[in-house]
Amino acid sequence: GRQSDLLVGLETGFDNAALLGDDTYRGRTSVSTQYELPGGVSPEAGRARLGLRTQLPLNDVWSVDGSLEQLLDLGGDEDVSAATLGTNYDTDDVDAEASYQFSLESGDARHLLNAGTNFRVNDGLFGGVNALFSLEPTATETPAEGVSLNVAGAYRSVGLD
């Protein structure tokens, strides 16, 4: 079947952004379109994001997925094209993902390796770890490497009937 979700939101952080978009699903394939207004509703030009993602199950817990994404800067020349290939492991208590992404940003190549897991400690406590390694050449063709490690936890209370 086909499912479509309308996205409306406001992202906060260093750059506030208003978002409007749609994700359409057909089986294990999704098409995503988003329009972003940097700085919220302001005179700055927006960005359009177009994406396609599909997943191929290998068995009950393993799958391979791939995606293509195009980010168009409607007010400048900071367009980004990206292709990602990854593998996923998913059970009731643990999920894990490893992926490689190649992107072109204003003509410069960028390579990202990403690995992460989320896990259930008990009925209410969840944890997660994600690592990202970035390698991107600079104008001097000296690689600028970056590593980030994120650790998160969440507690979800169980409602009483």
Side-chain angles (χ1 to χ4, degrees), residues 52-89:
L52 174 67
R53 180 178 180 163
T54 193
Q55 189 175 62
L56 174 66
L58 301 175
N59 58 33
D60 290 344
V61 296
W62 287 98
S63 64
V64 173
D65 66 62
S67 66
L68 298 172
E69 184 176 44
Q70 180 71 36
L71 178 64
L72 304 169
D73 183 358
L74 302 178
D77 59 354
E78 295 182 21
D79 294 346
V80 178
S81 301
T84 305
L85 183 62
T87 185
N88 298 294
Y89 175 81

Side-chain angles (χ1 to χ4, degrees), residues 98-110:
S99 65
Y100 165 75
Q101 182 183 77
F102 174 78
S103 64
L104 290 173
E105 188 170 337
S106 301
D108 293 328
R110 182 174 185 193

Side-chain angles (χ1 to χ4, degrees), residues 8-48:
V8 177
L10 178 65
E11 291 183 352
T12 60
F14 292 109
D15 296 324
N16 293 329
L19 298 172
L20 178 62
D22 178 68
D23 286 338
T24 302
Y25 302 90
R26 184 173 295 266
R28 294 183 174 267
T29 300
S30 66
V31 176
S32 175
T33 56
Q34 291 182 4
Y35 181 72
E36 178 181 324
L37 292 164
V41 180
S42 73
E44 295 178 38
R47 292 185 290 236

Side-chain angles (χ1 to χ4, degrees), residues 108-142:
D108 293 328
R110 182 174 185 193
H111 306 274
L112 294 173
L113 298 174
N114 186 35
T117 184
N118 296 302
F119 49 90
R120 178 192 312 259
V121 177
N122 58 38
D123 284 342
L125 186 60
F126 298 84
V129 177
N130 189 66
L132 178 69
F133 176 76
S134 172
L135 176 63
E136 55 185 302
T138 61
T140 61
E141 299 197 19
T142 304

